[in-house]
């Protein structure tokens, strides 16, 4: 490789810059949360439960090992290499660079700055090492970009932080780290002018500096026009800080629901951090939330990557399943937690007593549902098996370093078998795994499961999203399932799929399927915005034809784009009666900074990108998403659990407050008697009168997405309805179809299976405190 004149000048300039001030490095090493970095967390004193002690031992093992996400031993290995007197030349440079990446991964940003600057000194002082310059420049840019995030988005956090395109409080007060990142990116682009990753990040960095777009060199500038929304949904403002819901954590799940039955939605979250507890926030009904983690004993539960709620014992309150081990391969053989809610509001870990603790398999996804229609909830757990050799590309997500600049040497057994589990509810508080007999072991690397009755025959089918081909298991009604995905053409994205769900996006009474693709890179996102071809797979939207077949309508629906959704969910932002989607994006690497994507459903015809107009384009990693009316004012707010995978990549969660759209609504709470208590699997049809004529709106009750936790009560937007002509409910176990008239607009009702009337429930709105 030939180093051009400007890059040569850079070597001289940068060497002087680093030697003069070390670009901000100092002796005090601080992690991204303000605590000391560079090692595993110390033990915490206190009255620990047996469960907490069990999980803390797991955390200690992971932190003391070489797990590519959570281990710290790599740092010791690299420092030992640096201490070798024979280490020199390119090997020495690359060791410093690797150590910079590992220190950034674990939160020691200042240590990372020191190491990458040392690598830069070595390259600048020895022309024979000039071929290493692009790699060193790239790592230096990402390290300083991370330093900029810590100094501003975390240390000076406000509601505008990291909302793309950056504006207002999102512009960095301490702009020097971003300027350092911009310099390294510019010199990198001199060497690699076609690198779309660097071009994308350069524009992003200038947004942070506050001189975008004019401050970006014209040949690398991305026009602000490409970020404009297709529709103005109205600005949703993050109010999590004022409510104490801005939990600072790694990636995790969320459940929004009325846990205590007082009419107000509460919030529970979890975290991938193996030493991090679940959080619990009680909605007091007067504009505040109270921390209830200790009171409920949910703080005993550590390191649950995702959580899903379901009333498995039919006692009328929501229980919780915590899922562990996803992406950790064989290190992820960690037991899940089934948490039974007690009458006093506490939760008891009944995992072993219920028979769902063993075998422990790496997972992050599960779906409650009454698969045998016997009136209680069964459980399908999607595990990450590697026995199907078609999914051997899966280690990519776990083998790149924090800055995405190298592959690790970790090896895993390519044929480790972790079949999915279908736990049949025995009706006595215990479960039996019947996956093998039912034919639903999947034996692929599962990332998402969705339960829904796609063929309207009265029982729940299963869509399973995999690394490798996806499956659609049709329920035969006799305890067995048949995979009909190939037959019906719904296996794609065939490489790397993630979040999925069943929903009726076009309101025709038949459940459609959405499944996200998970192989986009930053360069794909940049190419997509620039109107250039991209390599990544788009998501898939399969429209149900109503005759047992599906049609791929991805392009027609406006979804043929390069997105990278991890957490995702759907709801009705403007209560027009059509379901919208929020795709929260990212992967572990620090340079994977791409906006989360909000998509408005335009009357079942196509989806409009409303990311910018609504203020939803958060750049931090997104997971647990809940569409829920937290203030009971007749529109859905949006909660998103933010944070990444590396110990140093914590971030604060957000709650976007809906500004309102003036549309009518109906909230429906189901109570099963013969069917399961929560009504999972039930179907709802609301027929309304509008100025344009009569219209139907359809909903299905059940689990959604890989990281979705919306309430079981159905919050149904009715747009400009002038009256509700009828409310119909189709119950799964009894096959009973009930119809109700005289239901008022802008109300909440309780429908009890078999009861002839819709019981009105007061919906008390609250104003969140400023």
């Amino acid at each position: 490789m030939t180093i051009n004149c400007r890059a040569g000048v850079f070597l001289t300039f940068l060497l002087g810059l680093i030697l003069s001030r070390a670009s901000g490095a100092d002796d005090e090493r601080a992690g991204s949360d303000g605590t000391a970095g560079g090692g595993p967390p110390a033990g915490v004193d206190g009255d620990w439960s047996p469960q907490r002690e069990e999980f803390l031992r797991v955390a200690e093992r992971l932190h003391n090992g070489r797990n590519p996400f959570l281990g710290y031993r790599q740092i010791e290995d690299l420092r030992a290499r640096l201490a070798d007197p024979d280490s020199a030349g390119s090997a020495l440079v690359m060791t410093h660079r690797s150590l910079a990446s590992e220190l950034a991964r674990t939160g020691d940003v200042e240590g990372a700055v020191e190491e990458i600057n040392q690598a830069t000194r070595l390259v600048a002082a020895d022309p024979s090492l000039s071929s290493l310059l692009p790699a060193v420049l790239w790592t230096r840019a990402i390290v300083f970009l991370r330093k900029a995030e810590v100094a501003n988005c975390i240390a000076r956090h406000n509601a505008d932080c990291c909302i793309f395109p950056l504006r207002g409080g999102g512009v960095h007060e301490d702009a020097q780290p971003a300027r350092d990142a911009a310099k390294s990116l510019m010199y990198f682009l001199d060497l690699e002018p076609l690198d779309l990753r660097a071009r994308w990040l350069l524009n992003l960095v200038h947004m942070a500096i506050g001189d975008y777009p004019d401050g970006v060199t014209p040949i690398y500038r991305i026009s602000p026009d490409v970020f404009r929304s297709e529709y103005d949904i109205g600005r949703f403002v993050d109010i999590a800080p004022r409510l104490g819901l801005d939990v600072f954590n790694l990636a995790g799940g969320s459940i929004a629901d009325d846990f205590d039955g007082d009419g107000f939605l509460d919030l529970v979250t979890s975290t991938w951090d193996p030493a991090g507890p679940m959080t619990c926030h009680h909605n007091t009904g007067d504009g505040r939330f109270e921390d209830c983690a200790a009171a409920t004993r949910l703080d005993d539960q550590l390191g649950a990557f995702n959580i899903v709620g379901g009333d498995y014992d039919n006692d009328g309150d929501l229980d919780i399943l915590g899922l562990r081990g996803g992406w950790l391969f064989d290190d992820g053989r960690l037991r899940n937690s089934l948490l039974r809610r007690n009458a006093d509001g506490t939760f008891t870990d009944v995992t072993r007593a219920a028979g769902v603790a063993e075998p422990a398999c790496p997972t992050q996804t599960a779906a409650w549902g009454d698969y045998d229609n016997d009136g209680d909830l069964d459980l399908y757990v999607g595990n990450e098996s590697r026995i199907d050799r078609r999914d051997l590309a899966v280690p990519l997500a776990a083998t790149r370093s924090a800055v995405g600049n190298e592959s690790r040497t970790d090896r895993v057994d390519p044929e480790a078998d972790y079949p999915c589990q279908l736990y049949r509810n025995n009706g006595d508080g215990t479960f039996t795994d019947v996956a093998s007999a039912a034919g639903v072991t999947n034996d692929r690397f599962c990332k998402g499961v969705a339960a829904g009755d796609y063929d309207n025959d009265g029982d729940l089918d299963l869509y399973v999203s995999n690394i490798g081909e996806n499956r659609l298991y049709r329920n035969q009604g006799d305890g067995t399932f048949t995979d009909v995905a190939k037959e019906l053409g719904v296996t794609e994205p065939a490489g790397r799929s993630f979040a999925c769900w069943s929903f009726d996006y076009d309101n025709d009474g038949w459940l459609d399927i959405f499944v996200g693709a998970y192989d986009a890179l930053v360069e794909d996102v940049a190419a997509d915005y620039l109107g250039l071809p991209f390599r990544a797979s788009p998501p898939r939207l399969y429209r149900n034809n109503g005759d047992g077949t599906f049609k791929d309508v991805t392009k027609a629906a406006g979804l043929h784009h390069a997105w990278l959704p991890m957490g995702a969910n759907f709801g009705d932002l403007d209560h027009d009666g059509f379901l919208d989607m929020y795709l929260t994006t990212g992967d572990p690497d620090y340079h994977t900074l791409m906006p989360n994507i909000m998509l408005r459903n335009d009357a079942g015809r196509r989806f409009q990108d409303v990311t910018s107009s609504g203020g939803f384009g958060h750049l931090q990693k997104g997971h647990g998403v809940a569409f829920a009316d937290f203030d009971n004012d007749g529109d859905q707010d949006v909660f998103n659990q933010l944070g990444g995978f590396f110990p140093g990549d914590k971030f604060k969660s957000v709650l976007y407050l809906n500004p309102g759209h003036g549309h009518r609504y109906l909230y429906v709470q189901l109570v099963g008697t013969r069917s399961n208590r929560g009504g999972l699997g039930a179907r709802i049809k609301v027929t309304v009168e509008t100025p344009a004529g009569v219209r139907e709106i359809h909903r299905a009750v059940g689990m959604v997405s890989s990281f979705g936790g919306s309430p079981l009560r159905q919050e149904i937007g009715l747009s400009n309805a002038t009256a509700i002509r009828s409310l119909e409910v189709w119950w799964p176990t009894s096959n009973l179809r009930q119809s109700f008239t005289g239901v008022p607009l802008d109300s909440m009702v309780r429908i009890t299976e078999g009861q002839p009337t819709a019981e009105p429930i007061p919906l008390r709105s609250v104003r969140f405190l400023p």
Side-chain angles (χ1 to χ4, degrees), residues 63-268:
H63 284 309
N64 289 337
R66 293 183 176 83
N67 182 273
F69 291 121
L70 300 169
Y72 286 76
R73 187 66 61 84
Q74 300 94 314
I75 294 173
E76 298 177 18
D77 296 343
L78 290 166
R79 283 182 170 149
R81 276 194 234 166
L82 290 178
D84 185 346
D86 294 330
S87 182
S90 61
L92 182 61
V93 171
M94 298 309 284
T95 301
H96 279 294
R97 175 171 168 262
S98 295
L99 182 54
S101 175
E102 296 295 348
L103 291 171
R105 175 180 64 85
T106 55
D108 185 357
V109 177
E110 296 301 340
V113 167
E114 182 177 321
E115 292 300 326
I116 196 58
N117 282 344
Q118 180 61 22
T120 308
R121 291 188 188 99
L122 293 171
V123 173
D126 186 349
S128 70
L129 301 176
S130 61
S131 63
L132 303 180
L133 183 56
V136 170
L137 285 172
W138 176 256
T139 302
R140 189 173 191 276
I142 304 309
V143 166
F144 274 93
L145 181 55
R146 185 58 190 163
K147 181 177 181 180
E149 291 180 276
V150 171
N152 294 276
C153 309
I154 294 174
R156 297 175 172 87
H157 183 74
N158 63 73
D160 291 334
C161 282
C162 295
I163 303 295
F164 181 88
L166 302 180
R167 69 177 196 181
V171 175
H172 289 188
E173 183 179 337
D174 178 5
Q176 188 56 49
R179 292 192 185 101
D180 284 336
K183 289 175 184 175
S184 292
L185 287 168
M186 276 301 301
Y187 284 111
F188 178 87
L189 282 165
D190 279 343
L191 303 174
E192 305 286 349
L194 300 181
D195 192 298
L196 285 177
R197 298 175 306 166
R199 182 178 175 183
W200 172 265
L201 292 180
L202 182 66
N203 282 264
L204 181 60
V205 165
H206 278 282
M207 290 181 193
I209 293 170
D211 62 0
Y212 171 85
D214 296 338
V216 184
T217 301
I219 59 171
Y220 299 129
R221 185 181 300 153
I222 300 176
S223 171
D225 293 340
V226 305
F227 304 130
R228 291 198 175 100
S229 290
E230 301 175 64
Y231 177 90
D232 187 0
I233 194 69
R235 191 78 175 183
F236 287 62
V237 177
D238 174 22
I239 62 168
R242 76 170 79 161
L243 298 175
L245 300 179
D246 57 335
V247 179
F248 187 63
N249 232 327
L250 298 182
S254 65
I255 301 173
D257 219 305
D258 183 5
F259 280 90
D260 55 3
D262 64 355
F264 300 100
L265 297 180
D266 312 302
L267 182 68
V268 174

Side-chain angles (χ1 to χ4, degrees), residues 413-592:
D413 177 2
E415 296 186 359
D417 187 14
Y418 301 117
C420 293
Q421 294 151 319
L422 176 60
Y423 289 109
R424 185 186 63 212
N425 194 325
N426 297 323
D428 58 0
T430 67
F431 293 81
T432 300
D433 184 5
V434 296
S436 181
V440 293
T441 55
N442 187 37
D443 298 312
R444 291 177 182 164
F445 200 97
C446 178
K447 298 308 296 178
V449 296
D453 181 8
Y454 84 89
D455 51 3
N456 280 354
D457 65 351
D459 49 35
L460 287 176
D461 311 298
L462 272 168
Y463 190 80
V464 183
S465 169
N466 295 310
I467 305 297
E469 290 186 343
N470 301 325
R471 299 187 190 272
L472 175 57
Y473 287 115
R474 182 174 60 209
N475 193 330
Q476 301 295 103
D478 59 0
T480 66
F481 294 74
T482 300
D483 182 7
V484 295
K486 284 187 178 181
E487 174 187 339
L488 300 184
V490 295
T491 60
E492 296 184 344
R496 297 166 61 84
S497 299
F498 208 147
C500 64
W501 55 68
S502 298
F503 70 155
D504 188 357
Y505 84 94
D506 54 359
N507 271 327
D508 65 353
W510 294 84
L511 290 181
D512 313 295
I513 296 173
F514 173 84
V515 55
Y518 192 65
D519 63 354
L521 302 174
V522 171
E523 48 266 45
D524 296 310
V525 174
D528 193 13
Y529 275 108
L530 290 166
L532 302 173
F534 54 84
R535 175 206 57 83
S537 300
R540 294 294 191 277
L541 178 62
Y542 296 110
R543 187 183 68 206
N544 195 322
N545 295 322
D547 59 1
T549 66
F550 290 86
K551 180 180 180 181
D552 185 342
V553 295
T554 305
K555 286 187 177 180
L559 300 177
H560 191 87
H561 289 282
W563 295 318
L564 191 66
M566 299 181 295
N569 205 345
F570 60 87
D572 191 352
L573 285 178
D574 51 5
H575 265 178
D576 65 350
F578 290 94
L579 293 170
D580 314 304
M581 300 191 291
Y582 194 31
L583 311 180
T584 62
T585 59
D587 70 15
D589 296 341
Y590 282 143
H591 83 273
T592 308

Side-chain angles (χ1 to χ4, degrees), residues 301-322:
Q301 297 294 320
L302 311 182
F305 191 12
N306 191 18
I307 48 178
V308 291
D311 183 5
Y312 82 93
D313 53 2
N314 271 342
D315 65 352
D317 52 35
L318 202 64
D319 310 301
I320 295 174
L321 178 73

Side-chain angles (χ1 to χ4, degrees), residues 222-401:
I222 300 176
S223 171
D225 293 340
V226 305
F227 304 130
R228 291 198 175 100
S229 290
E230 301 175 64
Y231 177 90
D232 187 0
I233 194 69
R235 191 78 175 183
F236 287 62
V237 177
D238 174 22
I239 62 168
R242 76 170 79 161
L243 298 175
L245 300 179
D246 57 335
V247 179
F248 187 63
N249 232 327
L250 298 182
S254 65
I255 301 173
D257 219 305
D258 183 5
F259 280 90
D260 55 3
D262 64 355
F264 300 100
L265 297 180
D266 312 302
L267 182 68
V268 174
T269 75
S270 67
T271 176
W272 151 277
D273 180 355
M278 288 187 190
T279 71
C280 182
H281 308 272
H282 172 239
N283 188 336
T284 61
D286 60 2
R288 299 178 298 113
F289 283 81
E290 293 178 345
D291 184 345
C292 56
T296 59
R297 298 314 303 255
L298 285 176
D299 61 349
D300 288 341
Q301 297 294 320
L302 311 182
F305 191 12
N306 191 18
I307 48 178
V308 291
D311 183 5
Y312 82 93
D313 53 2
N314 271 342
D315 65 352
D317 52 35
L318 202 64
D319 310 301
I320 295 174
L321 178 73
L323 298 155
R324 294 185 175 87
W327 291 121
L328 293 179
F329 304 108
D330 298 329
D331 283 342
R333 290 173 291 190
L334 311 175
R335 76 163 176 91
N336 298 324
S337 290
L338 179 59
L339 309 175
R340 184 188 65 214
R341 183 173 174 87
N342 304 312
D344 62 359
T346 62
F347 287 86
T348 299
D349 189 331
V350 297
T351 316
R352 291 189 170 89
V356 296
E358 300 293 340
C361 303
T363 182
Q364 63 168 54
T365 184
W368 293 102
D370 187 0
Y371 299 104
D372 53 4
N373 263 343
D374 65 351
D376 50 32
L377 290 184
D378 311 302
L379 176 65
Y380 188 78
V381 181
N383 295 320
E384 296 179 349
S385 178
R386 300 190 303 276
I387 196 170
D388 186 333
R389 298 186 64 86
R390 283 173 292 184
D391 60 32
L392 289 183
V394 69
L396 287 176
T399 56
R400 290 206 302 267
S401 67

